[in-house]
Amino acid sequence: MYKVYGISRSRTLRVLWMLEELGLPYEHIPVVPHDPELLKVSPAGKIPVLVTPEGVLTDSVAILQYLADTHGKFTIPPGSFDRPRQVAMTLQILDELEGLIWTSARHSFILPPERRVAAVKESLRWEYARNEKAIADRLGDGPWLMGEEMTVPDFLLAHCLTWAKLAKMSSSEPRLEAWLAKVMARPAFQRAAAKG
């Protein structure tokens, strides 16, 4: 059985959601970064952490890809021509959406007050809106980013869109709004989001 460390109001949501979609048993330990219990399994103190039979994994994207590859679902098979397209989409979401949201958060409450630059947030919002539209344009090929089947990038995009709303960065791109509503209605997403 897997153990997941981290509160659901973080990137841990991605991991909980995939485990729920896969229907796998797991234990959820809802800890915040640097919690003493978390430090016992991951000295870096960052969340999420997945404890597997093979060892400990950190970083939500690495965990998602491990789960998808291990259980043969939500991913394009390694070695296929389309797998690099999935990797490219994953990196696009991380670079062009998540990176901007994270930078905004750092300048809002994470960095020491004297290191925060409030003015940068308006530029980040503009860039985020532009990038969100480019990703929305990718939804034309099927119900999911990579076509007919949900894959790792869909988990990442859904989390980034919900995070952007909380950060007041979302451009409310209509195609993404409709897509996100469909995702959030999934029972597995709702179960994951309801966790501590």
Side-chain angles (χ1 to χ4, degrees):
M1 182 165 66
Y2 295 118
K3 283 188 179 181
V4 181
Y5 288 79
I7 55 172
S8 63
R9 295 178 320 276
S10 70
R11 290 178 180 105
T12 305
L13 175 63
R14 302 167 178 178
V15 176
L16 296 170
W17 176 25
M18 184 174 276
L19 286 165
E20 289 289 338
E21 290 281 358
L22 290 167
L24 297 172
Y26 65 92
E27 179 184 352
H28 177 220
I29 300 96
V31 294
V32 296
H34 305 289
D35 183 280
E37 191 167 346
L38 174 65
L39 293 172
K40 292 175 189 174
V41 294
S42 180
K46 295 181 179 180
I47 56 174
V49 169
L50 180 72
V51 178
T52 77
E54 296 86 14
V56 175
L57 290 173
T58 60
D59 184 85
S60 64
V61 179
I63 294 168
L64 290 180
Q65 197 60 63
Y66 164 82
L67 290 171
D69 286 340
T70 299
H71 298 284
K73 194 166 181 189
F74 304 121
T75 192
I76 294 170
S80 67
F81 179 79
D82 285 336
R83 178 64 172 251
R85 290 180 52 247
Q86 176 182 303
V87 172
M89 178 55 76
T90 296
L91 295 174
Q92 183 180 1
I93 293 166
L94 295 175
D95 291 344
E96 297 181 6
L97 297 183
E98 181 177 84
L100 298 172
I101 302 165
W102 179 238
T103 300
S104 179
R106 291 175 61 80
H107 286 280
S108 296
F109 59 89
I110 296 170
L111 292 172
E114 68 275 9
R115 297 289 181 199
R116 297 175 195 166
V117 181
V120 77
K121 291 192 283 185
E122 186 53 41
S123 176
L124 295 170
R125 277 189 205 94
W126 173 84
E127 189 175 0
Y128 179 89
R130 183 190 66 176
N131 295 347
E132 197 178 59
K133 182 185 181 317
I135 292 200
D137 290 341
R138 298 286 300 265
L139 290 174
D141 295 339
W144 303 104
L145 285 169
M146 301 307 300
E148 294 301 316
E149 300 292 326
M150 192 163 80
T151 59
V152 168
D154 294 294
F155 288 83
L156 299 175
L157 179 60
H159 181 252
C160 284
L161 294 175
T162 59
W163 190 10
K165 287 180 181 297
L166 293 173
K168 297 180 175 52
M169 289 185 72
S170 178
S171 69
S172 299
E173 217 299 330
R175 292 170 292 178
L176 289 180
E177 289 289 319
W179 181 86
L180 182 60
K182 174 180 72 173
V183 168
M184 292 177 72
R186 293 178 71 86
F189 183 92
Q190 292 177 1
R191 288 191 302 272
K195 302 239 178 233

